[in-house]
Amino acid sequence: MDTRRRFLSLSAGSFVALFAGSAVSACGTGEDQAGNDGTPRPGGRLVFAEPTSPIGWDPQVGTEDVLGLILRPVFDSLVSETPDGRYLPWLATSWTVSDDGLTYTFVLREDVTFSDGTPFDANAVKVNFDRVVAPETKSRYAKSLLGPYKASTVLDSHRVEVTLSRPYSQFLHAVSRPYLGFHSPRALAEHPDSLGSGGQFTVSTGPYVFTSVVQGQQAVFTRREGYNWGPGTARHTGRPYLDGYTVQFVIDDQSRVAAATSGQIGIADQVPAAQLAGLRRQTSVTLISRDVPGSPYTYYLNTRRPLFRNADARRVILYGVDVASITGGLFQGQYQRAGSILSPSTRSYDDRLASSWGYDRARAERLLDSLGYTGRDGDGYRTKDGARFSLQFPFATANTTSERRNYDTAFQAELKKIGVEVVLTELDAPTYIKRTLAGDYDVSGLAWGGSDPSILGNLFSARSLVTQGGGNKAWVDDPELEALLDEASRTIDLNKQNDLYRRVQARVIDQAYGLPTYVAKRSLAVRPTVHGLEFDSAGWPFLYDVWASGA
Amino acid sequence: MTAAVLRHVGRRLAAGVLVLWGAATLTFVALHLVPGDQADAILGPSLTATPQLRAQVIADYGLDRPVVVQYLDYLGSLLTGDLGRSYQRDMPVERLLADQVLPTMQLAVSAALAGLAIAVIAVVVTAASGRVGRTAATVLELVVASVPNFWLGLVLLTLFSFRFPIFPSIGASGGLGLVLPTLTLALPLGATLAQVMRQELERADRAPFALSVRARGAGELRLVLAHTLRHAVTPAVTLSAWIVGSLIGGTVLVENIFARPGIGRLLVGAVMSKDIPVVTTVVLLSAVTFVLINTVVDLLYPVIDPRLRAERAR
């Protein structure tokens, strides 16, 4: 495993949960999982706190990261993905891909049942995939994961064939996500309108069963009796160790973290950067941080605007903002500057790219001169024929965190130094969407999660404009980039694919389609009684292998 | 109960139905006046909506019908007791609210009672003490009444849950989990009520009847408990609508800090996403509460203040 994985297992030595009635664990923080942690033991419950609650509980419909994280142990997938992008068996024991990349044939395990007793078979795969793409399901994310899905054919009771309308190399990645997990066909037939309600209405094949939910407060999960079909990426087989887990939703950062430090819960997720340094000095919890895979928070520059049609005008932004010092200052040295449009924990990340560009104020000023912005107005802004170099930057209150808000303000101040005006406008969500869909902005901020580099297609392909439900906020229409993305989408060989996506990253920086800012971390505060915790390829705690001591 | 009282209650309830209709209508109108498209609000700000998805949402929720038709349809289903399906959370509103109403009611009732108790105790204790004690109490009340709820909640949490783990901090159900949220709401409420009540108490204390009670040889404590406190409670009862309002507002913050379930938290999310069925249901619930409380308060006045009994009998 790579160094990231090793680092994680080091920290995981001290991962802990709170168990009913347990006082303090005597287990130390071991350097070696097997050595000091002892033998995993069954029993105990884990309580962990998340800042936000999913708005609905149907993974085939919703989009949220937290939805996938919470339901990952409830919904199994056809295949499991390792952090370096390989695929291992799960509900499918084997699979083949046709030479043209259009047909995937999965051979399914024969001993799998849903928690209502319904057997898991080829038909269950078909009805679920067909449901995901049906318009009335109103799937927000799972449908886009299935991409060019055409149809599923039941070959026999445990063999299913999926056909695509064009080659789509990220298909295995797609079916490894919980968003393409399976509802029991009986649940689909009996209460199709209640699948978003969660609790007892959610019936799937995973090691945990969704027991109950109080919307916005907590969700409770219990171990599934007889579970014996864990993913190939797991370190053990058979029953999950914990008897169950509870997720509590605590918006307030301080309450959430203090609940962990005072021993009331096992894990507090999403520790804000400002609290990281203080928590490192605490002995009551261990801090585990990992880079969030995907595309970091990036200022996309709208290439359809007259000003930004010129690549040199976009380069003014790329070189005129000192992202390293903003990041260092705002996050007290806890986060790093982003060197590429992918974060370092994402497969295909180009680690040589970071040194090829960076803050260069003199270069930004020379570019401004060459663009003709040589005048200065009373407020110190650069002008050309009396017109300011001025950028519209609208944002929505609903999807802007305070971290990003602070970053935006620093970005604005930084550009003012070189005479570029940024007009930040706070909008309500519907107005913001309207302006975004109309392309009525120069700068727009966006971060995009996902462990597969194919998210680059969503961010830069002309087929993924925001008007099409995509993430191409820079309105990029670049034939060279499109050709690279197309080829990557057809390429199944991982090395070739990685190489193509590295060239995409280089092209994005060269053309200055956006300014990547900082690499956010997912930091968890963990009590010293949770063991065996690692992160899966999505960067989520992998609960199937977690066990508890000190009970 | 006399026929007069029954007639009075009947009138109040009839007015209550009007209030409910008004509340439902105002909510509908307000949410439609907010700029932005209903379909966009349902889809949320994440921008991952394809044009086909948008079309499906519009068709499913009937958003392409004229607003008047949508309004009548919505009133009609309300009349049949159908609260609808949450736009945002894709489940029936009843199911969404089922686990939220009781915790909010528990919190509101316990905070109202605790607030009243705090106020009465503060007033009675200070009435017997001298001028200095009263002044000190007034200053303290002013400070507590001015403290923002969320700050008070965090201070209580830090002290009594994190530093000294007496009470559970988050998400707790049951009596022990109710203590800190209740205090968070009750302390400022009690302080405000105490100020109002003390003012009234002092006025009663200067009234001729107080002099005559003293002349009969009653002690100060007996004077307060048996005679003047009654006067002081009247303005507190009049303030009940304000109390309910402040509790509903306060629960939003308190529910967030203590991660309690509740309609306050739900309402904020629903308003942000223009989730009309949810907002309407919460507004209707609040309206029903106000109507009921006002009716009860009206009936309580004569019990507390015998002079009103005489008036109504005439």
Side-chain angles (χ1 to χ4, degrees):
Chain A
M1 230 22 73
D2 56 11
T3 49
R4 183 177 74 247
R5 189 68 180 267
R6 212 156 46 235
F7 159 73
L8 289 171
S9 46
L10 287 184
S11 353
S14 52
F15 226 78
V16 184
L18 171 83
F19 301 91
S22 84
V24 181
S25 155
C27 274
T29 54
E31 292 206 331
D32 180 85
Q33 188 84 32
N36 286 353
D37 264 349
T39 315
R41 66 176 94 163
R45 290 187 62 86
L46 168 69
V47 182
F48 69 91
E50 287 291 332
T52 53
S53 152
I55 54 173
W57 290 102
D58 186 349
Q60 295 178 357
V61 171
T63 61
E64 301 120 312
D65 184 75
V66 69
L67 174 67
L69 181 156
I70 295 171
L71 292 184
R72 174 75 281 186
V74 177
F75 286 84
D76 292 332
S77 293
L78 286 177
V79 302
S80 56
E81 185 188 26
T82 66
D84 58 349
R86 289 174 303 118
Y87 297 96
L88 298 175
W90 197 344
L91 294 180
T93 51
S94 65
W95 54 91
T96 51
V97 187
S98 66
D99 289 339
D100 58 6
L102 295 177
T103 308
Y104 286 69
T105 309
F106 295 91
V107 180
L108 308 176
R109 284 184 75 125
E110 302 199 358
D111 57 346
V112 177
T113 54
F114 290 94
S115 57
D116 62 0
T118 313
F120 170 78
D121 56 14
N123 183 57
V125 175
K126 179 180 164 56
V127 293
N128 272 278
F129 285 177
D130 285 350
R131 171 181 185 254
V132 167
V133 296
E136 45 298 354
T137 305
K138 293 185 292 241
S139 170
R140 314 279 288 274
Y141 180 54
K143 188 177 179 181
S144 70
L145 275 176
L146 275 182
Y149 175 86
K150 219 159 78 179
S152 295
T153 314
V154 175
L155 299 178
D156 60 41
S157 71
H158 287 85
R159 281 197 315 140
V160 61
E161 182 185 276
V162 177
T163 46
L164 308 174
S165 58
R166 64 180 157 82
Y168 180 64
S169 60
Q170 58 264 40
F171 185 71
L172 285 178
H173 166 73
V175 298
S176 77
R177 318 282 343 258
Y179 306 99
L180 288 176
F182 305 94
H183 291 292
S184 161
R186 196 201 289 176
L188 286 176
E190 285 176 4
H191 50 259
D193 289 339
S194 297
L195 297 169
S197 300
Q200 47 169 332
F201 296 106
T202 300
V203 182
S204 189
T205 59
Y208 291 93
V209 177
F210 199 158
T211 319
S212 67
V213 60
V214 179
Q215 304 301 341
Q217 200 228 353
Q218 68 170 22
V220 180
F221 302 85
T222 313
R223 180 173 73 85
R224 165 92 192 269
E225 280 304 330
Y227 182 83
N228 192 28
W229 44 86
T233 48
R235 291 193 306 279
H236 84 291
T237 54
R239 67 160 279 183
Y241 296 126
L242 298 169
D243 287 340
Y245 63 98
T246 299
V247 185
Q248 294 195 326
F249 304 108
V250 187
I251 298 178
D252 189 78
D253 286 335
Q254 288 188 33
S255 301
R256 193 171 62 254
V257 173
T261 54
S262 64
Q264 302 184 40
I265 60 169
I267 301 177
D269 195 5
Q270 309 277 15
V271 178
Q275 291 194 45
L276 290 176
L279 282 177
R280 287 226 166 79
R281 293 192 295 271
Q282 292 243 11
T283 50
S284 57
V285 288
T286 305
L287 212 52
I288 300 185
S289 293
R290 85 160 266 172
D291 291 347
V292 176
S295 177
Y297 186 53
T298 297
Y299 294 122
Y300 289 91
L301 308 176
N302 185 348
T303 56
R304 284 220 179 149
R305 300 281 262 199
L307 183 63
F308 278 148
R309 257 184 220 144
N310 186 335
D312 275 344
R314 303 195 296 266
R315 290 186 185 113
V316 168
I317 312 302
L318 193 69
Y319 292 99
V321 179
D322 189 354
V323 284
S325 12
I326 298 180
T327 305
L330 276 183
F331 304 118
Q332 293 148 28
Q334 303 292 336
Y335 292 174
Q336 297 300 310
R337 164 216 168 195
S340 170
I341 198 75
L342 287 181
S343 86
S345 59
T346 320
R347 180 164 68 79
S348 315
Y349 168 70
D350 186 350
D351 58 358
R352 289 157 311 175
L353 195 56
S355 55
S356 74
W357 66 282
Y359 179 54
D360 185 344
R361 181 168 173 174
R363 181 168 176 183
E365 306 232 32
R366 277 199 309 276
L367 285 167
L368 282 167
D369 288 338
S370 68
L371 289 165
Y373 284 89
T374 47
R376 291 269 183 179
D377 65 13
D379 295 324
Y381 291 113
R382 293 259 192 168
T383 57
K384 176 187 184 178
D385 308 327
R388 274 185 190 175
F389 196 106
S390 178
L391 307 175
Q392 291 295 324
F393 184 171
F395 65 97
T397 320
N399 56 359
T400 307
T401 62
S402 57
E403 279 184 357
R404 288 186 191 162
R405 185 85 148 263
N406 291 338
Y407 214 101
D408 298 346
T409 312
F411 170 76
Q412 182 185 40
E414 190 74 7
L415 282 173
K416 187 169 182 188
K417 288 188 201 157
I418 57 168
V420 170
E421 183 186 41
V422 176
V423 184
L424 276 163
T425 314
E426 180 166 1
L427 301 170
D428 61 282
T431 317
Y432 168 76
I433 290 173
K434 209 170 155 192
R435 264 187 82 164
T436 305
L437 294 181
D440 181 13
Y441 61 90
D442 298 296
V443 182
S444 190
L446 178 72
W448 200 277
S451 53
D452 194 88
S454 57
I455 56 169
L456 290 172
N458 184 46
L459 292 170
F460 297 104
S461 165
R463 280 200 301 257
S464 303
L465 294 177
V466 283
T467 45
Q468 294 302 312
N472 185 354
K473 277 190 155 181
W475 301 76
V476 173
D477 188 356
D478 176 342
E480 190 179 327
L481 204 55
E482 204 72 51
L484 288 170
L485 289 168
D486 266 358
E487 202 182 334
S489 198
R490 282 194 305 269
T491 306
I492 292 189
D493 181 281
L494 273 187
N495 288 327
K496 282 187 197 153
Q497 209 192 77
N498 287 340
D499 183 57
L500 287 163
Y501 282 126
R502 287 196 186 101
R503 285 163 66 192
V504 170
Q505 294 167 66
R507 175 79 184 166
V508 166
I509 294 298
D510 176 61
Q511 290 298 305
Y513 289 131
L515 169 67
T517 59
Y518 64 93
V519 182
K521 284 196 166 105
R522 159 168 250 135
S523 298
L524 296 87
V526 183
R527 293 285 296 174
T529 45
V530 180
H531 304 264
L533 190 116
E534 286 203 15
F535 292 84
D536 64 13
S537 64
W540 297 328
F542 182 57
L543 293 184
Y544 175 62
D545 277 340
V546 170
W547 61 280
S549 68
Chain B
M1 258 197 279
T2 65
V5 173
L6 279 179
R7 257 206 313 280
H8 180 69
V9 172
R11 268 204 307 276
R12 290 306 294 240
L13 290 182
V17 172
L18 270 181
V19 168
L20 292 185
W21 171 74
T25 306
L26 271 180
T27 310
F28 185 88
V29 171
L31 287 176
H32 273 90
L33 283 181
V34 174
D37 191 277
Q38 184 68 51
D40 288 336
I42 293 171
L43 288 164
S46 60
L47 286 174
T48 47
T50 60
Q52 299 90 307
L53 175 61
R54 207 169 172 280
Q56 186 71 35
V57 164
I58 290 172
D60 279 10
Y61 294 103
L63 299 175
D64 46 355
R65 298 170 303 166
V67 176
V68 180
V69 176
Q70 291 185 48
Y71 170 73
L72 291 176
D73 181 51
Y74 146 96
L75 266 194
S77 51
L78 278 185
L79 276 179
T80 58
D82 176 11
L83 297 171
R85 246 179 119 78
S86 162
Y87 287 172
Q88 196 67 29
R89 287 183 184 262
D90 191 29
M91 64 180 87
V93 174
E94 302 94 271
R95 194 178 290 161
L96 187 57
L97 281 168
D99 303 318
Q100 320 279 337
V101 173
L102 197 65
T104 297
M105 272 173 58
Q106 279 174 338
L107 178 59
V109 169
S110 76
L113 292 179
L116 199 62
I118 289 170
V120 168
I121 290 170
V123 167
V124 170
V125 168
T126 53
S129 65
R131 196 184 171 80
V132 180
R134 272 210 295 274
T135 311
T138 311
V139 171
L140 185 69
E141 282 157 15
L142 189 65
V143 171
V144 175
S146 320
V147 162
N149 271 338
F150 66 90
W151 185 81
L152 186 61
L154 284 177
V155 169
L156 289 174
L157 258 185
T158 310
L159 271 180
F160 299 111
S161 186
F162 301 146
R163 181 66 55 82
F164 308 107
I166 305 169
F167 300 106
S169 67
I170 55 164
S173 43
L176 216 52
L178 201 59
V179 174
L180 292 183
T182 299
L183 281 181
T184 305
L185 284 176
L187 282 172
L189 184 70
T192 311
L193 282 179
Q195 287 179 308
V196 178
M197 285 167 66
R198 177 168 302 105
Q199 217 171 15
E200 207 56 32
L201 193 71
E202 280 169 3
R203 192 182 321 212
D205 195 57
R206 288 191 299 269
F209 79 87
L211 187 67
S212 72
V213 171
R214 284 201 181 90
R216 291 204 302 270
E220 283 300 304
L221 196 63
R222 187 180 150 71
L223 169 67
V224 172
L225 289 180
H227 299 278
T228 49
L229 189 60
R230 215 177 247 267
H231 291 256
V233 171
T234 319
V237 172
T238 312
L239 279 177
S240 59
W242 168 81
I243 294 174
V244 173
S246 82
L247 284 177
I248 291 177
T251 51
V252 176
L253 294 164
V254 171
E255 281 162 10
N256 273 343
I257 293 171
F258 293 93
R260 285 179 58 83
I263 53 172
R265 209 146 69 125
L266 197 72
L267 179 63
V268 174
V271 169
M272 299 254 220
S273 52
K274 294 180 82 176
D275 195 338
I276 292 178
V278 174
V279 177
T280 309
T281 307
V282 176
V283 168
L284 286 180
L285 264 178
S286 314
V288 168
T289 313
F290 272 102
V291 168
L292 282 181
I293 286 189
N294 271 325
T295 311
V296 171
V297 163
D298 258 23
L299 296 175
L300 269 183
Y301 274 131
V303 178
I304 298 170
D305 192 338
R307 289 171 299 184
L308 294 174
R309 233 175 297 173
E311 245 169 55
R312 194 163 283 163
R314 249 181 271 146

